[in-house]
Structures are given as C-alpha cells and as structure tokens.
C-alpha cells in the first residue's frame, strides 16, 4: 500500500475486454502529467498537466475508471483526462468513473463520457469518494479535433 505510479503523457486504453478500462487498487495512487523522463527527485508540483496530457480512454465501449469495492487506504488518481467512457450496465454507474470510500479524483479533465442505463449517472458515480479540482467539459467538440 501507499504506492505511487507516475504515468507519462499519452493515450491509454487499458483493458479493452473488461467492463472498465482501468481498475483502482487500494492504496495505489496514480499520477499523470509527466513527460516520461523525470528524475526520482522530481516533485509532483512541478508537473505541467496541460503540456503533458495523460488520457485514459474508454473507447466509447466501457467505463474509464472503476473502484471495485470500499478501500481502507487513501487512493488518489490525479492529473488525468478521463475520456470516451460509456457505461451500459443495468445498475448504478458513471461513464467516466465509479468511486467508493477513500478514493479521490483530483486535477482531472472529464470529457466525452456518457451512460445509457436507466439507473446510471452520466459521468461519475460516488459513494463516499471525493472529487477535487475537476474540469467538466460542458460543450465538447469531436474527439478527433482535439490536440492531445
């Protein structure tokens, strides 16, 4: 527990066969916004999130991020773009993320996500999770026109 994963700029599709492209793990913090060659002494506050976009993509076929159960350790996903999520399940769920206890999304961009199920939330489902400094794109343009 208390592990940090630094993710370099780029577009990541995760598990293309699962209901969710990416799965959170208890106590494993994931940080995006890196060029990819930072030294071990690099400080998170030095990241340039707009210059080094780290996008997690659901491929319009699955939820982008899922927390499978309640966590006992603080778990943070920070500096990421969650895009093209699509939740089509029959229970509660968000296209971008499904958050439960002890989880936080911060400094993230949420864009081009949706959910079709009658009980689903469009973007994010939360049960005691936290969302901090999130930019929601209310007027998205086609993903093909975006510069990443």
């Amino acid at each position: 527990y208390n592990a940090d994963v630094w993710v370099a700029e780029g577009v990541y599709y995760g598990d293309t066969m699962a209901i969710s492209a990416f799965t959170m793990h208890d106590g494993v913090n994931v940080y995006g916004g890196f060029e990819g060659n930072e030294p071990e002494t690099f400080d998170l506050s030095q990241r340039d999130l707009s210059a080094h976009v780290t996008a997690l993509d659901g491929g319009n076929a699955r939820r982008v991020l899922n927390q499978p159960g309640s966590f006992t350790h603080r778990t943070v996903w920070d500096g990421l773009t969650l895009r093209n999520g699509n939740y089509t399940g029959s229970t509660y769920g968000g296209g971008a993320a499904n958050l439960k206890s002890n989880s936080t999304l911060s400094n993230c961009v949420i864009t081009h996500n949706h959910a079709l199920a009658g009980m689903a939330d469009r973007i994010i489902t939360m049960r005691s999770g936290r969302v901090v400094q999130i930019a929601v794109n209310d007027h998205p343009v086609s993903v093909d026109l975006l510069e990443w």
Side-chain angles (χ1 to χ4, degrees), residues 63 87-94 98 115-121 125 127:
R63 175 186 291 133
Y87 182 73
T88 59
S90 60
T91 59
Y92 293 103
N98 182 34
L116 300 176
M119 295 176 68
D121 295 316
T125 301
R127 292 177 209 97

Side-chain angles (χ1 to χ4, degrees), residues 77-145:
W77 285 55
D78 180 286
L80 304 161
T81 296
L82 280 60
R83 70 180 200 187
N84 296 329
N86 179 15
Y87 182 73
T88 59
S90 60
T91 59
Y92 293 103
N98 182 34
L99 305 177
K100 297 175 180 146
S101 65
N102 282 327
S103 62
T104 301
L105 282 182
S106 61
N107 300 308
C108 291
V109 174
I110 309 296
T111 187
H112 292 81
N113 295 283
H114 56 281
L116 300 176
M119 295 176 68
D121 295 316
R122 233 176 112 66
I123 307 298
I124 299 173
T125 301
M126 291 194 312
R127 292 177 209 97
S128 301
R130 293 182 53 211
V131 175
V132 180
Q133 295 181 349
I134 299 294
V136 177
N137 185 353
D138 291 324
H139 305 287
V141 297
S142 171
V143 135
D144 297 326
L145 300 176

Side-chain angles (χ1 to χ4, degrees), residues 4-7 29-34 44 47 74 76 78-80:
D4 290 342
V5 176
W6 291 8
V7 184
N29 305 308
V30 177
Y31 298 94
F34 296 95
L44 286 175
R47 293 177 298 167
R74 180 185 75 99
V76 175
D78 180 286
L80 304 161

Side-chain angles (χ1 to χ4, degrees), residues 32-51:
F34 296 95
E35 186 175 354
N37 59 359
E38 288 79 6
E40 287 186 30
T41 57
F42 190 82
D43 187 85
L44 286 175
S45 65
Q46 296 173 299
R47 293 177 298 167
D48 186 341
L49 299 177
S50 61

Side-chain angles (χ1 to χ4, degrees), residues 57-69:
D57 196 303
N60 287 317
R62 63 203 45 79
R63 175 186 291 133
V64 178
L65 180 62
N66 185 50
Q67 180 181 354

